[in-house]
């Protein structure tokens, strides 16, 4: 596609509910990042994939967070048993290689846990 | 010390002014540096990479000082459309760390 596509655009979840956020990177992009952005703050790194390999997941805040990219293209970020502190915008970004020339973000999924 | 720090802002400047933002980083091994801009409720968009020799793109100039672990962004002749949050980005190993951002408002 022309850009990085994320869905859903908005998600309201009840506390304790599981959610799945989808990212379609730009076709052919090897590197894929997930970030979490709280209101008024910069994006916080969550995890990084190179093709299907998850090379860094050090930013995932707890074991309730899980990300996968099984075929090296679409990625899913799953949050189990959502808590109010999970409310944020979840941003996905991709780049052709590692990202040394910068990378392109999707519009994000705004998650609100009530 | 936080990994990436930026001027807290906000910066409120009149149209036509020159404004500079600063960013410091803690990892001396970092090799890749960028400036992104983020409009309200939108995703970050790459503004420019920052190279060792410094680089310019129109009204925008980025500088890197490795010895002081410091990068800067200079905007000349600011336009109303430059109003946004400017995010400094630095690599830490394989991941990229964002600063908290500096908000700029260009006033008519």
């Amino acid at each position: 596609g022309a850009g990085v596509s994320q869905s859903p655009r908005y998600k309201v979840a009840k506390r304790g509910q599981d959610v799945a956020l989808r990212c379609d990177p730009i076709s052919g992009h090897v590197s894929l990042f997930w970030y979490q952005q709280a209101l008024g703050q910069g994006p916080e790194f969550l995890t990084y994939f190179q093709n299907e390999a998850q090379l860094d997941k050090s930013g995932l805040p707890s074991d309730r967070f899980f990300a996968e990219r099984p075929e090296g293209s679409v990625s899913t970020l799953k949050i189990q048993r959502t808590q109010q502190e999970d409310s944020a915008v979840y941003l996905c970004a991709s780049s052709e290689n590692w990202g040394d020339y910068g990378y392109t973000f999707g519009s994000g999924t705004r998650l609100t846990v009530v | 010390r936080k990994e990436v720090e930026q001027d807290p802002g906000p910066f409120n400047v009149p149209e036509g002014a020159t404004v500079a933002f600063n960013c410091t980083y803690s990892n001396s091994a970092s090799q890749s540096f960028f400036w992104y801009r983020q409009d309200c409720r939108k995703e970050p968009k790459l503004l420019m990479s920052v190279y060792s020799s410094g680089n310019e793109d129109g009204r925008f100039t980025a500088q890197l000082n490795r010895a002081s672990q410091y990068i800067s962004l200079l905007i000349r002749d600011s336009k109303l459309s430059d109003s946004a949050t400017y995010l400094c980005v630095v690599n830490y190993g394989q991941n990229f760390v964002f600063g908290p951002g500096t908000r700029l408002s260009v006033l008519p």
Side-chain angles (χ1 to χ4, degrees):
Chain A
V4 178
S5 177
Q6 291 189 246
S7 60
R9 186 73 177 88
Y10 302 93
K11 176 69 179 178
V12 178
K14 291 185 178 179
R15 192 168 53 181
Q17 186 179 351
D18 296 350
V19 299
L21 313 180
R22 179 186 168 105
C23 172
D24 277 272
I26 293 172
S27 179
H29 276 196
V30 167
S31 294
L32 186 146
F33 295 79
W34 282 99
Y35 284 84
Q36 178 191 60
Q37 187 171 25
L39 191 63
Q41 298 181 23
E44 296 280 343
F45 171 80
L46 293 177
T47 187
Y48 162 61
F49 289 86
Q50 186 170 327
N51 294 307
E52 69 279 3
Q54 188 174 23
L55 299 185
D56 189 339
K57 56 181 181 179
S58 62
L60 296 176
S62 76
D63 59 8
R64 296 186 296 103
F65 286 71
F66 172 77
E68 60 183 4
R69 192 186 186 199
E71 296 178 0
S73 54
V74 171
S75 178
T76 304
L77 177 66
K78 297 179 179 178
I79 309 174
Q80 297 176 321
R81 305 181 303 282
T82 51
Q83 304 294 316
Q84 283 191 319
E85 62 264 27
D86 300 335
S87 296
V89 175
Y90 291 85
L91 293 162
C92 174
S94 73
S95 70
E96 192 171 345
N97 292 302
W98 168 61
D100 48 342
Y101 298 109
Y103 42 104
T104 304
F105 279 86
S107 300
T109 294
R110 184 175 298 275
L111 173 65
T112 304
V113 181
V114 299
Chain B
R1 181 182 175 186
K2 292 186 180 176
E3 293 168 314
V4 181
E5 298 191 66
Q6 294 187 242
D7 290 333
F11 284 59
N12 298 313
V13 303
E15 268 187 290
T18 295
V19 61
F21 304 133
N22 298 318
C23 171
T24 57
Y25 59 97
S26 60
N27 182 9
S28 59
S30 293
Q31 295 292 324
S32 294
F33 310 91
F34 305 97
W35 284 101
Y36 278 73
R37 74 169 274 168
Q38 186 172 27
D39 294 286
C40 189
R41 300 180 78 85
K42 298 286 190 183
E43 72 275 19
K45 292 188 176 175
L46 179 66
L47 180 64
M48 57 197 306
S49 302
V50 186
Y51 301 121
S52 297
S53 55
N55 47 298
E56 188 174 310
D57 183 2
R59 298 181 294 109
F60 298 84
T61 301
Q63 297 279 353
L64 167 63
N65 184 322
R66 287 189 185 275
S68 301
Q69 294 178 201
Y70 162 101
I71 68 175
S72 65
L73 176 68
L74 183 78
I75 305 176
R76 289 181 299 278
D77 187 25
S78 358
K79 311 291 184 192
L80 295 176
S81 57
D82 294 335
S83 297
T85 296
Y86 289 82
L87 297 158
C88 169
V89 184
V90 178
N91 83 291
Y92 278 71
Q94 292 184 107
N95 81 61
F96 288 88
V97 178
F98 280 75
T102 300
R103 186 178 177 89
L104 170 67
S105 291
V106 180
L107 309 173

